Amino acid sequence: MKVTVVGAGNVGATCADVLAYREIANEVILVDIKEGVAEGKALDIWQKAPINLYDTRTVGVTNDYSKTADSDVVVITSGLPRKPGMTRDDLIETNAGIVKSVTEQVVKYSPEAKIVIVSNPLDVMTYQAHLTSKFPRTKVMGMAGILDTARYRAFLAEELNVSPKDIQAVLMGGHGDTMVPLPRYTTVGGIPVTELIDAEKLDAIIERTKFGGGELVKLMGTSAWYAPGSAAAQMVEAIIKDQKRVFPVCIKLDGEYGIDDCYLGVPVVLGKNGVEKVIELQLNDEEKELLLESRKHVREVMEVLEKSGK
Ligand SMILES: NC(=O)C1=CN([C@@H]2O[C@H](COP(=O)(O)OP(=O)(O)OC[C@H]3O[C@@H](n4cnc5c(N)ncnc54)[C@H](O)[C@@H]3O)[C@@H](O)[C@H]2O)C=CC1
Ligand SMILES: O=C([O-])CC(=O)C(=O)O
């Protein structure tokens, strides 16, 4: 199986590294616009193979999409990350152009690929890639929910002093401050989280999760990459191995949750065909209201893209 990762920066290189050392694909092509960067990072990952014992081939190229031909999955991470003081939405102007031009090249050489978008603002970049590729919605999806859920699970594990492995959770909505964590669907080894933590502490964890990306931007001066790169690789693995994993994934909604004009994170089944099923939870009134609020925000940013004519 062949996977292309576009953007050999922090997130792209991390994703390629995870795909290689976990032998998720046989061949990983790393593409960047900066001369030599993708070649160098791919070579570095390949030179790690005898140490960490894997045989995935990693190849880097500068803007040469012919080398990406017939990829099974393409991960798009190219674009600017935010700096302290910026929102993800502030990146739209630059990143929409980058995601558009990259998607054009990707579909030219890999017309059967599944596309996983990482670039921000995530939901609207997924829209951009869907528009440009003209692929069915099930083949163009955004990575955010796995990351946001992982942050929520990590914070809960720390608070409860339990293994993060035992925390299951669902988080929906846009990848921004309006994301919708769902405590009703959060369990710790099968036990509802609300039985283990008081409401005030849980609320504080939910708030921290919503601003989890910003917390890291403030600390590092740029955005996160280890968890985002691993999250994107986990989506690739589910597709390549046809695992039918259930993850929150950003996709264009077609009437699910009463929404048909927006790209939002919702729980889906991921397998060899991409998004194989959108799971519709029975949300209560409060959860529905939060999801609609998130939709409203993402729609506003989608309109910025529509007005820009990109
Ligand atoms: N969806 C999510 O949950 C997350 C999204 N992100 C987003 O991912 C994107 C990448 O973040 P980082 O890797 O930290 O940034 P980075 O700056 O380290 O890497 C971006 C790379 O894209 C390359 N690039 C720019 N234009 C290109 C083009 N036309 N073709 C090929 N490559 C091109 C740059 O040369 C650079 O190497 C950002 O937009 C960031 O906001 C980051 C973390 C989480
Ligand atoms: O915060 C950012 O800009 C990057 C991102 O989406 C995240 O880490 O959640």
Side-chain angles (χ1 to χ4, degrees), residues 80 90-99 310:
L80 293 184
D90 293 336
L91 303 168
I92 189 168
E93 215 176 300
T94 312
N95 287 357
I98 293 174
V99 169
K310 282 216 165 84

Side-chain angles (χ1 to χ4, degrees), residues 11 80-83 86-89 91 118-122 143-144 147-148 151 175-177 179 209-217 220 222-225 227-228:
V11 179
L80 293 184
R82 61 176 162 151
K83 292 194 167 68
M86 292 172 81
T87 69
R88 296 177 179 96
D89 300 340
L91 303 168
V118 178
S119 313
N120 270 319
L122 188 272
M143 185 294 291
L147 173 66
D148 295 327
R151 287 182 175 144
H175 182 50
D177 309 342
M179 68 180 78
T209 303
K210 287 186 186 170
F211 297 93
E215 179 179 355
L216 290 160
V217 173
M220 303 193 292
T222 187
S223 51
W225 59 89

